[in-house]
Amino acid sequence: MNEADSDEMFLHLSARGAVRTDNLDEADAVLINTCTVRDHAEHRALSFLGRLCKWKRQNPKRIIIFAGCAAERLGKQLKKRYPYLNILSGAKSIEQFDQTLAKSGLFSPAGQPAAQQTGLFAYVTIMRGCNFNCTYCIVPSVRGPIKCLPAADILADAARKVKAGAKEIMLLGQTVNAYQDGSTTFADLLNRVSDIPGVERVRFTSPHPIYFTPQFLAAVKDNPKIAHHVHLPVQSGSTKVLQEMKRGYTREIFLEKVHALQTAGFEISTDIIVGFPTETEDDFALTLSLVDEAKFIAAYCFKYSPRQGTPAAQLKLHDEQTLEDRLDILLNKVKDLAETAYQRQVGTTQQVLMEEPHKGKSSTNFWVQTGLDFRPGSVVSCKIEKAEGTLLFARNEHD
Ligand code: 5AD
Ligand code: SF4
Protein backbone atom coordinates (compact mmCIF):
# COMPACT_ATOMS: atom_id res chain seq x y z
CA MET A 1 0.00 0.00 0.00
CA ASN A 2 2.83 2.33 0.80
CA GLU A 3 4.37 1.76 -2.62
CA ALA A 4 1.05 2.65 -4.23
CA ASP A 5 0.69 5.72 -2.01
CA SER A 6 4.25 6.77 -2.83
CA ASP A 7 3.48 6.52 -6.55
CA GLU A 8 0.39 8.66 -6.04
CA MET A 9 2.32 11.30 -4.11
CA PHE A 10 5.04 11.26 -6.73
CA LEU A 11 2.49 12.10 -9.44
CA HIS A 12 1.84 15.42 -7.66
CA LEU A 13 5.56 16.08 -7.38
CA SER A 14 6.06 15.23 -11.05
CA ALA A 15 3.34 17.74 -11.96
CA ARG A 16 5.70 20.31 -10.41
CA GLY A 17 8.65 19.17 -12.49
CA ALA A 18 10.16 16.53 -10.21
CA VAL A 19 11.90 13.48 -11.62
CA ARG A 20 12.87 10.43 -9.61
CA THR A 21 16.39 9.62 -8.49
CA ASP A 22 17.78 7.02 -6.12
CA ASN A 23 20.91 9.13 -5.63
CA LEU A 24 20.57 11.25 -2.53
CA ASP A 25 23.52 13.47 -3.52
CA GLU A 26 21.80 14.69 -6.66
CA ALA A 27 18.32 15.00 -5.10
CA ASP A 28 16.76 18.37 -4.30
CA ALA A 29 13.97 16.79 -2.27
CA VAL A 30 13.38 13.58 -0.34
CA LEU A 31 9.98 12.02 0.24
CA ILE A 32 9.95 9.52 3.13
CA ASN A 33 6.75 7.50 3.15
CA THR A 34 6.48 5.72 6.48
CA CYS A 35 4.91 2.71 8.19
CA THR A 36 4.12 2.47 11.89
CA VAL A 37 2.50 -0.97 12.12
CA ARG A 38 5.39 -2.16 14.29
CA ASP A 39 7.81 -0.08 16.31
CA HIS A 40 10.73 -1.28 14.21
CA ALA A 41 9.31 0.21 11.00
CA GLU A 42 8.78 3.58 12.64
CA HIS A 43 12.25 3.47 14.12
CA ARG A 44 13.87 2.93 10.74
CA ALA A 45 12.00 5.87 9.22
CA LEU A 46 13.00 8.16 12.08
CA SER A 47 16.62 7.13 12.01
CA PHE A 48 16.72 7.85 8.27
CA LEU A 49 15.15 11.24 8.93
CA GLY A 50 17.82 11.85 11.59
CA ARG A 51 20.60 11.00 9.14
CA LEU A 52 19.19 13.50 6.62
CA CYS A 53 20.22 16.35 8.95
CA LYS A 54 23.71 16.33 7.42
CA TRP A 55 22.33 16.17 3.86
CA LYS A 56 20.15 19.18 4.55
CA ARG A 57 23.05 21.11 6.11
CA GLN A 58 25.05 20.66 2.89
CA ASN A 59 22.38 22.68 1.10
CA PRO A 60 19.62 24.30 3.19
CA LYS A 61 17.45 24.69 0.06
CA ARG A 62 16.92 20.93 0.01
CA ILE A 63 13.39 19.78 0.89
CA ILE A 64 12.38 16.94 3.23
CA ILE A 65 8.83 15.55 3.16
CA PHE A 66 7.83 13.05 5.86
CA ALA A 67 4.59 11.26 4.97
CA GLY A 68 2.40 8.29 5.85
CA CYS A 69 1.44 6.45 9.02
CA ALA A 70 4.36 7.43 11.28
CA ALA A 71 3.84 11.06 10.21
CA GLU A 72 0.17 10.70 11.18
CA ARG A 73 0.95 9.11 14.54
CA LEU A 74 3.72 11.46 15.63
CA GLY A 75 2.30 14.62 14.08
CA LYS A 76 3.62 18.05 14.91
CA GLN A 77 6.08 16.85 17.58
CA LEU A 78 8.24 15.77 14.64
CA LYS A 79 8.79 19.36 13.55
CA LYS A 80 10.11 20.13 17.02
CA ARG A 81 12.40 17.10 17.07
CA TYR A 82 13.56 17.57 13.49
CA PRO A 83 13.37 21.33 12.82
CA TYR A 84 14.86 20.88 9.33
CA LEU A 85 11.77 18.89 8.24
CA ASN A 86 9.83 20.93 5.62
CA ILE A 87 6.55 19.11 5.02
CA LEU A 88 4.56 16.72 7.18
CA SER A 89 1.80 14.78 5.44
CA GLY A 90 -0.03 12.18 7.55
CA ALA A 91 -1.64 9.02 6.15
CA LYS A 92 -5.13 10.49 6.48
CA SER A 93 -4.17 13.41 4.24
CA ILE A 94 -2.84 11.54 1.23
CA GLU A 95 -5.76 12.71 -0.88
CA GLN A 96 -4.86 16.31 0.00
CA PHE A 97 -1.17 15.90 -0.86
CA ASP A 98 -1.53 18.22 -3.86
CA GLN A 99 -2.87 21.04 -1.65
CA THR A 100 -0.18 20.32 0.95
CA LEU A 101 2.51 20.83 -1.70
CA ALA A 102 0.80 23.97 -3.02
CA LYS A 103 0.47 25.44 0.47
CA SER A 104 4.13 24.82 1.30
CA GLY A 105 5.19 27.39 -1.31
CA LEU A 106 8.32 25.28 -1.90
CA PHE A 107 7.43 24.08 -5.38
CA SER A 108 6.51 25.68 -8.67
CA PRO A 109 2.79 25.66 -9.61
CA ALA A 110 1.37 22.33 -10.72
CA GLY A 111 1.21 21.47 -14.41
CA GLN A 112 0.55 18.07 -15.97
CA PRO A 113 1.88 15.01 -14.07
CA ALA A 114 4.47 12.94 -15.91
CA ALA A 115 3.10 10.04 -17.94
CA GLN A 116 2.82 7.04 -15.64
CA GLN A 117 5.42 4.37 -16.23
CA THR A 118 4.40 0.82 -15.55
CA GLY A 119 5.88 -2.59 -16.12
CA LEU A 120 3.75 -5.73 -16.29
CA PHE A 121 2.30 -5.03 -12.84
CA ALA A 122 0.33 -2.12 -11.47
CA TYR A 123 -1.29 -1.32 -8.15
CA VAL A 124 -4.76 0.15 -7.97
CA THR A 125 -5.95 1.42 -4.59
CA ILE A 126 -9.65 0.67 -4.14
CA MET A 127 -10.17 1.63 -0.50
CA ARG A 128 -8.38 3.29 2.38
CA GLY A 129 -8.70 2.87 6.14
CA CYS A 130 -10.14 0.11 8.28
CA ASN A 131 -13.36 -0.32 10.30
CA PHE A 132 -12.04 -3.10 12.54
CA ASN A 133 -10.44 -2.55 15.90
CA CYS A 134 -8.04 -5.42 16.37
CA THR A 135 -6.63 -4.75 19.82
CA TYR A 136 -2.95 -4.82 18.76
CA CYS A 137 -3.30 -2.70 15.63
CA ILE A 138 -2.58 0.97 15.09
CA VAL A 139 -3.90 1.13 11.52
CA PRO A 140 -7.48 2.31 12.26
CA SER A 141 -6.16 5.21 14.32
CA VAL A 142 -3.61 6.37 11.73
CA ARG A 143 -5.59 5.64 8.57
CA GLY A 144 -9.12 6.26 9.83
CA PRO A 145 -12.36 4.48 8.88
CA ILE A 146 -13.00 2.81 5.53
CA LYS A 147 -13.40 4.96 2.47
CA CYS A 148 -14.15 3.07 -0.73
CA LEU A 149 -13.22 4.75 -4.00
CA PRO A 150 -15.99 4.94 -6.63
CA ALA A 151 -15.97 1.86 -8.87
CA ALA A 152 -15.93 4.05 -12.01
CA ASP A 153 -12.71 5.78 -10.85
CA ILE A 154 -11.10 2.43 -10.03
CA LEU A 155 -11.95 1.02 -13.45
CA ALA A 156 -10.62 4.16 -15.14
CA ASP A 157 -7.39 3.99 -13.10
CA ALA A 158 -6.93 0.30 -13.98
CA ALA A 159 -7.67 0.94 -17.68
CA ARG A 160 -5.10 3.77 -17.72
CA LYS A 161 -2.47 1.48 -16.22
CA VAL A 162 -3.27 -1.30 -18.69
CA LYS A 163 -2.87 1.19 -21.53
CA ALA A 164 0.54 2.06 -20.11
CA GLY A 165 1.55 -1.62 -20.34
CA ALA A 166 0.29 -3.40 -17.21
CA LYS A 167 -0.98 -6.96 -17.60
CA GLU A 168 -1.58 -7.73 -13.94
CA ILE A 169 -3.56 -5.44 -11.66
CA MET A 170 -3.21 -5.68 -7.88
CA LEU A 171 -6.22 -4.19 -6.08
CA LEU A 172 -5.23 -2.72 -2.73
CA GLY A 173 -7.00 -1.97 0.52
CA GLN A 174 -6.49 -2.51 4.23
CA THR A 175 -9.47 -4.91 4.29
CA VAL A 176 -9.78 -5.04 0.54
CA ASN A 177 -12.68 -7.50 0.39
CA ALA A 178 -14.88 -5.23 2.53
CA TYR A 179 -15.19 -3.09 -0.62
CA GLN A 180 -18.67 -1.89 -1.49
CA ASP A 181 -19.73 1.01 -3.70
CA GLY A 182 -23.52 1.24 -3.94
CA SER A 183 -24.57 -2.12 -5.37
CA THR A 184 -21.04 -2.95 -6.57
CA THR A 185 -19.51 -5.63 -4.35
CA PHE A 186 -15.87 -6.67 -4.19
CA ALA A 187 -16.62 -9.74 -6.34
CA ASP A 188 -18.32 -7.50 -8.96
CA LEU A 189 -15.31 -5.21 -8.96
CA LEU A 190 -12.87 -8.09 -9.44
CA ASN A 191 -14.91 -9.41 -12.35
CA ARG A 192 -15.22 -5.96 -13.93
CA VAL A 193 -11.49 -5.21 -13.64
CA SER A 194 -10.73 -8.60 -15.20
CA ASP A 195 -13.00 -7.67 -18.14
CA ILE A 196 -10.89 -4.63 -19.06
CA PRO A 197 -9.32 -5.47 -22.44
CA GLY A 198 -5.63 -6.26 -21.94
CA VAL A 199 -5.94 -7.40 -18.32
CA GLU A 200 -4.47 -10.88 -17.94
CA ARG A 201 -4.64 -11.24 -14.17
CA VAL A 202 -6.16 -9.54 -11.13
CA ARG A 203 -4.77 -9.94 -7.62
CA PHE A 204 -5.81 -8.28 -4.39
CA THR A 205 -4.40 -7.70 -0.92
CA SER A 206 -5.12 -7.85 2.00
CA PRO A 207 -8.51 -9.43 2.61
CA HIS A 208 -10.15 -10.08 5.97
CA PRO A 209 -11.32 -13.67 6.53
CA ILE A 210 -14.85 -12.73 7.55
CA TYR A 211 -15.73 -11.38 4.09
CA PHE A 212 -14.93 -14.65 2.32
CA THR A 213 -18.47 -15.93 1.92
CA PRO A 214 -19.80 -18.77 -0.25
CA GLN A 215 -21.42 -16.06 -2.43
CA PHE A 216 -18.00 -14.45 -2.98
CA LEU A 217 -16.44 -17.75 -3.98
CA ALA A 218 -19.33 -18.59 -6.28
CA ALA A 219 -18.96 -15.23 -8.01
CA VAL A 220 -15.22 -15.46 -8.69
CA LYS A 221 -14.06 -19.07 -8.69
CA ASP A 222 -14.64 -19.69 -12.38
CA ASN A 223 -12.97 -16.50 -13.54
CA PRO A 224 -9.51 -17.65 -14.70
CA LYS A 225 -8.19 -14.06 -14.66
CA ILE A 226 -8.66 -13.75 -10.91
CA ALA A 227 -5.45 -15.02 -9.34
CA HIS A 228 -5.95 -18.18 -7.33
CA HIS A 229 -3.77 -16.99 -4.48
CA VAL A 230 -5.05 -15.20 -1.40
CA HIS A 231 -2.95 -13.64 1.33
CA LEU A 232 -5.18 -14.19 4.34
CA PRO A 233 -3.77 -13.03 7.70
CA VAL A 234 -4.74 -15.39 10.55
CA GLN A 235 -2.61 -13.80 13.35
CA SER A 236 -3.09 -16.69 15.82
CA GLY A 237 -4.27 -20.29 15.91
CA SER A 238 -5.92 -19.97 19.32
CA THR A 239 -9.59 -19.00 19.47
CA LYS A 240 -9.01 -17.44 22.90
CA VAL A 241 -6.22 -15.19 21.57
CA LEU A 242 -8.24 -14.38 18.43
CA GLN A 243 -11.05 -13.20 20.70
CA GLU A 244 -8.64 -11.11 22.76
CA MET A 245 -7.30 -9.67 19.51
CA LYS A 246 -10.94 -8.98 18.45
CA ARG A 247 -10.38 -10.64 15.11
CA GLY A 248 -14.02 -11.62 14.67
CA TYR A 249 -13.48 -15.31 13.88
CA THR A 250 -12.48 -18.53 15.65
CA ARG A 251 -9.76 -20.99 14.66
CA GLU A 252 -12.47 -23.29 13.27
CA ILE A 253 -14.13 -20.55 11.19
CA PHE A 254 -10.76 -19.51 9.78
CA LEU A 255 -9.93 -23.10 8.83
CA GLU A 256 -13.36 -23.49 7.21
CA LYS A 257 -12.70 -20.42 5.05
CA VAL A 258 -9.27 -21.73 4.12
CA HIS A 259 -10.63 -25.11 3.13
CA ALA A 260 -13.45 -23.54 1.09
CA LEU A 261 -10.89 -21.40 -0.75
CA GLN A 262 -8.57 -24.37 -1.27
CA THR A 263 -11.42 -26.49 -2.58
CA ALA A 264 -12.12 -23.73 -5.11
CA GLY A 265 -8.46 -23.97 -6.21
CA PHE A 266 -6.93 -21.09 -4.25
CA GLU A 267 -3.57 -21.27 -2.45
CA ILE A 268 -3.22 -19.32 0.80
CA SER A 269 -0.44 -17.40 2.52
CA THR A 270 -0.79 -15.69 5.89
CA ASP A 271 0.53 -13.37 8.62
CA ILE A 272 1.08 -14.55 12.18
CA ILE A 273 1.86 -12.58 15.34
CA VAL A 274 3.74 -14.41 18.11
CA GLY A 275 3.79 -13.37 21.74
CA PHE A 276 0.53 -11.45 21.98
CA PRO A 277 0.48 -10.48 25.71
CA THR A 278 -2.11 -13.10 26.74
CA GLU A 279 -0.68 -15.88 24.54
CA THR A 280 0.21 -18.94 26.68
CA GLU A 281 2.41 -21.88 25.67
CA ASP A 282 -0.81 -23.79 24.86
CA ASP A 283 -2.09 -20.94 22.67
CA PHE A 284 1.23 -20.86 20.86
CA ALA A 285 1.05 -24.64 20.32
CA LEU A 286 -2.36 -24.06 18.69
CA THR A 287 -0.75 -21.60 16.26
CA LEU A 288 1.84 -24.23 15.37
CA SER A 289 -0.83 -26.87 14.77
CA LEU A 290 -2.90 -24.45 12.67
CA VAL A 291 0.12 -23.99 10.39
CA ASP A 292 0.12 -27.76 9.85
CA GLU A 293 -3.60 -27.92 9.21
CA ALA A 294 -3.95 -24.93 6.92
CA LYS A 295 -1.31 -25.93 4.31
CA PHE A 296 -0.24 -22.34 3.71
CA ILE A 297 2.21 -21.67 0.90
CA ALA A 298 3.95 -19.01 3.02
CA ALA A 299 3.61 -17.32 6.40
CA TYR A 300 5.05 -13.95 7.43
CA CYS A 301 5.74 -14.06 11.16
CA PHE A 302 6.09 -11.09 13.48
CA LYS A 303 6.93 -10.59 17.13
CA TYR A 304 4.15 -8.73 18.87
CA SER A 305 5.01 -5.02 19.05
CA PRO A 306 3.02 -2.86 21.47
CA ARG A 307 1.58 0.22 19.77
CA GLN A 308 0.76 3.23 21.90
CA GLY A 309 -2.96 3.92 22.30
CA THR A 310 -4.09 0.41 21.27
CA PRO A 311 -6.02 -1.65 23.87
CA ALA A 312 -3.40 -4.44 23.93
CA ALA A 313 -0.67 -1.94 24.84
CA GLN A 314 -2.21 -1.85 28.35
CA LEU A 315 -1.47 -5.56 28.87
CA LYS A 316 1.66 -6.98 30.45
CA LEU A 317 4.26 -7.90 27.83
CA HIS A 318 6.10 -11.20 27.53
CA ASP A 319 9.81 -10.91 28.08
CA GLU A 320 11.93 -10.51 24.95
CA GLN A 321 13.40 -14.02 25.29
CA THR A 322 9.93 -15.62 25.14
CA LEU A 323 9.12 -13.60 22.00
CA GLU A 324 12.42 -14.59 20.39
CA ASP A 325 12.03 -18.26 21.29
CA ARG A 326 8.48 -18.48 19.94
CA LEU A 327 9.44 -16.64 16.76
CA ASP A 328 12.38 -19.04 16.22
CA ILE A 329 10.18 -22.10 16.67
CA LEU A 330 7.55 -20.73 14.30
CA LEU A 331 10.08 -19.63 11.68
CA ASN A 332 11.60 -23.07 11.80
CA LYS A 333 8.18 -24.55 11.09
CA VAL A 334 7.22 -22.19 8.26
CA LYS A 335 10.57 -22.27 6.46
CA ASP A 336 9.67 -25.41 4.54
CA LEU A 337 6.10 -24.39 3.66
CA ALA A 338 7.03 -23.01 0.26
CA GLU A 339 9.06 -26.06 -0.80
CA THR A 340 6.28 -28.43 0.30
CA ALA A 341 3.73 -26.33 -1.56
CA TYR A 342 5.89 -26.35 -4.71
CA GLN A 343 6.09 -30.16 -4.51
CA ARG A 344 2.27 -30.35 -4.33
CA GLN A 345 2.03 -28.68 -7.76
CA VAL A 346 3.79 -31.46 -9.65
CA GLY A 347 1.34 -33.02 -12.10
CA THR A 348 -1.01 -30.00 -12.17
CA THR A 349 -1.57 -27.61 -15.07
CA GLN A 350 -0.95 -23.94 -14.29
CA GLN A 351 -1.69 -20.72 -16.15
CA VAL A 352 1.58 -18.80 -16.10
CA LEU A 353 1.99 -15.07 -16.70
CA MET A 354 5.42 -14.78 -18.28
CA GLU A 355 7.77 -12.22 -16.72
CA GLU A 356 10.87 -13.26 -18.63
CA PRO A 357 11.09 -15.30 -21.86
CA HIS A 358 11.19 -18.60 -19.95
CA LYS A 359 10.03 -17.73 -16.43
CA GLY A 360 6.75 -16.55 -15.00
CA LYS A 361 4.30 -16.73 -12.09
CA SER A 362 1.35 -19.08 -11.86
CA SER A 363 -2.07 -17.79 -10.88
CA THR A 364 -1.45 -19.51 -7.53
CA ASN A 365 1.78 -17.49 -7.13
CA PHE A 366 4.43 -20.13 -7.86
CA TRP A 367 7.50 -19.51 -10.01
CA VAL A 368 7.48 -21.61 -13.16
CA GLN A 369 10.26 -22.18 -15.66
CA THR A 370 8.98 -23.07 -19.11
CA GLY A 371 10.67 -25.33 -21.62
CA LEU A 372 10.16 -22.96 -24.54
CA ASP A 373 10.54 -19.18 -24.73
CA PHE A 374 7.41 -17.04 -24.62
CA ARG A 375 6.69 -13.32 -24.86
CA PRO A 376 6.79 -11.58 -21.43
CA GLY A 377 3.23 -10.52 -20.62
CA SER A 378 1.62 -13.53 -22.29
CA VAL A 379 -0.23 -16.24 -20.38
CA VAL A 380 0.86 -19.79 -21.06
CA SER A 381 -0.73 -23.07 -20.01
CA CYS A 382 1.96 -25.23 -18.37
CA LYS A 383 1.99 -28.85 -17.29
CA ILE A 384 4.20 -29.06 -14.20
CA GLU A 385 6.74 -31.86 -14.41
CA LYS A 386 8.91 -31.35 -11.35
CA ALA A 387 9.72 -28.99 -8.48
CA GLU A 388 13.17 -28.04 -7.27
CA GLY A 389 13.25 -25.79 -4.21
CA THR A 390 10.98 -22.90 -5.06
CA LEU A 391 10.89 -23.34 -8.81
CA LEU A 392 8.52 -25.44 -10.89
CA PHE A 393 9.60 -26.86 -14.23
CA ALA A 394 7.02 -27.11 -16.97
CA ARG A 395 6.69 -29.00 -20.17
CA ASN A 396 5.05 -27.06 -22.96
CA GLU A 397 3.69 -28.25 -26.26
CA HIS A 398 6.46 -28.78 -28.82
CA ASP A 399 9.00 -29.13 -25.96
N1 5AD B 1 2.73 -6.23 16.40
C1 5AD B 1 3.19 -7.18 15.53
N2 5AD B 1 2.67 -7.38 14.32
C2 5AD B 1 1.64 -6.60 13.94
N3 5AD B 1 0.93 -6.55 12.80
C3 5AD B 1 0.00 -5.59 12.90
N4 5AD B 1 0.10 -4.98 14.10
C4 5AD B 1 1.11 -5.59 14.76
C5 5AD B 1 1.69 -5.43 16.04
N5 5AD B 1 1.24 -4.51 16.90
C6 5AD B 1 1.15 -7.49 11.70
C7 5AD B 1 -0.10 -8.33 11.40
C8 5AD B 1 -0.57 -7.74 10.11
C9 5AD B 1 0.73 -7.32 9.45
C10 5AD B 1 0.60 -6.33 8.36
O1 5AD B 1 1.45 -6.77 10.53
O2 5AD B 1 0.29 -9.67 11.25
O3 5AD B 1 -1.29 -8.69 9.32
FE1 SF4 C 1 -5.39 -3.67 11.68
FE2 SF4 C 1 -6.08 -5.40 9.71
FE3 SF4 C 1 -7.29 -5.49 12.15
FE4 SF4 C 1 -7.76 -3.43 10.46
S1 SF4 C 1 -8.29 -5.62 10.13
S2 SF4 C 1 -7.39 -3.29 12.67
S3 SF4 C 1 -5.73 -3.16 9.51
S4 SF4 C 1 -5.10 -5.91 11.67
Side-chain angles (χ1 to χ4, degrees), residues 223-297:
N223 184 339
K225 290 193 177 170
I226 297 175
H228 277 48
H229 165 242
V230 175
H231 182 72
L232 194 60
V234 64
Q235 315 300 3
S236 168
S238 152
T239 295
K240 188 199 99 213
V241 173
L242 289 169
Q243 269 160 3
E244 285 151 357
M245 288 175 161
K246 287 217 171 125
R247 286 292 292 171
Y249 51 84
T250 60
R251 171 193 177 93
E252 289 70 32
I253 291 175
F254 180 83
L255 284 170
E256 263 171 39
K257 307 258 179 198
V258 164
H259 292 142
L261 282 159
Q262 285 167 338
T263 307
F266 289 81
E267 295 283 352
I268 318 283
S269 55
T270 199
D271 288 346
I272 298 172
I273 298 177
V274 298
F276 185 76
T278 59
E279 183 189 80
T280 61
E281 283 295 335
D282 286 350
D283 294 320
F284 179 59
L286 284 165
T287 295
L288 296 177
S289 72
L290 179 121
V291 170
D292 286 331
E293 271 185 57
K295 296 201 166 54
F296 298 120
I297 62 170

Side-chain angles (χ1 to χ4, degrees), residues 63-101:
I63 300 168
I64 302 177
I65 309 170
F66 197 77
C69 292
E72 187 71 50
R73 191 181 92 75
L74 297 164
K76 293 214 170 74
Q77 54 165 297
L78 283 170
K79 286 219 173 171
K80 277 203 198 112
R81 257 169 84 189
Y82 305 92
Y84 50 89
L85 174 60
N86 298 95
I87 300 177
L88 247 183
S89 172
K92 284 181 191 157
S93 323
I94 176 166
E95 279 162 17
Q96 287 90 51
F97 191 62
D98 191 40
Q99 291 99 296
T100 307
L101 292 180

Side-chain angles (χ1 to χ4, degrees), residues 235 271-274 284 287-289 291 299-302 324-337:
Q235 315 300 3
D271 288 346
I272 298 172
I273 298 177
V274 298
F284 179 59
T287 295
L288 296 177
S289 72
V291 170
Y300 300 93
C301 307
F302 309 103
E324 299 252 328
D325 291 349
R326 289 185 189 173
L327 184 66
D328 271 358
I329 295 169
L330 183 61
L331 287 177
N332 211 22
K333 187 165 200 64
V334 306
K335 76 175 190 326
D336 299 328
L337 287 181

Side-chain angles (χ1 to χ4, degrees), residues 111-154:
Q112 277 303 313
Q116 267 176 299
Q117 300 278 326
T118 171
L120 290 178
F121 310 101
Y123 295 123
V124 172
T125 299
I126 69 165
M127 55 124 68
R128 299 184 190 283
C130 176
N131 283 357
F132 285 83
N133 51 358
C134 302
T135 55
Y136 54 82
C137 184
I138 198 156
V139 168
S141 83
V142 288
R143 290 211 175 237
I146 283 187
K147 227 175 112 195
C148 293
L149 274 63
D153 294 2
I154 293 168

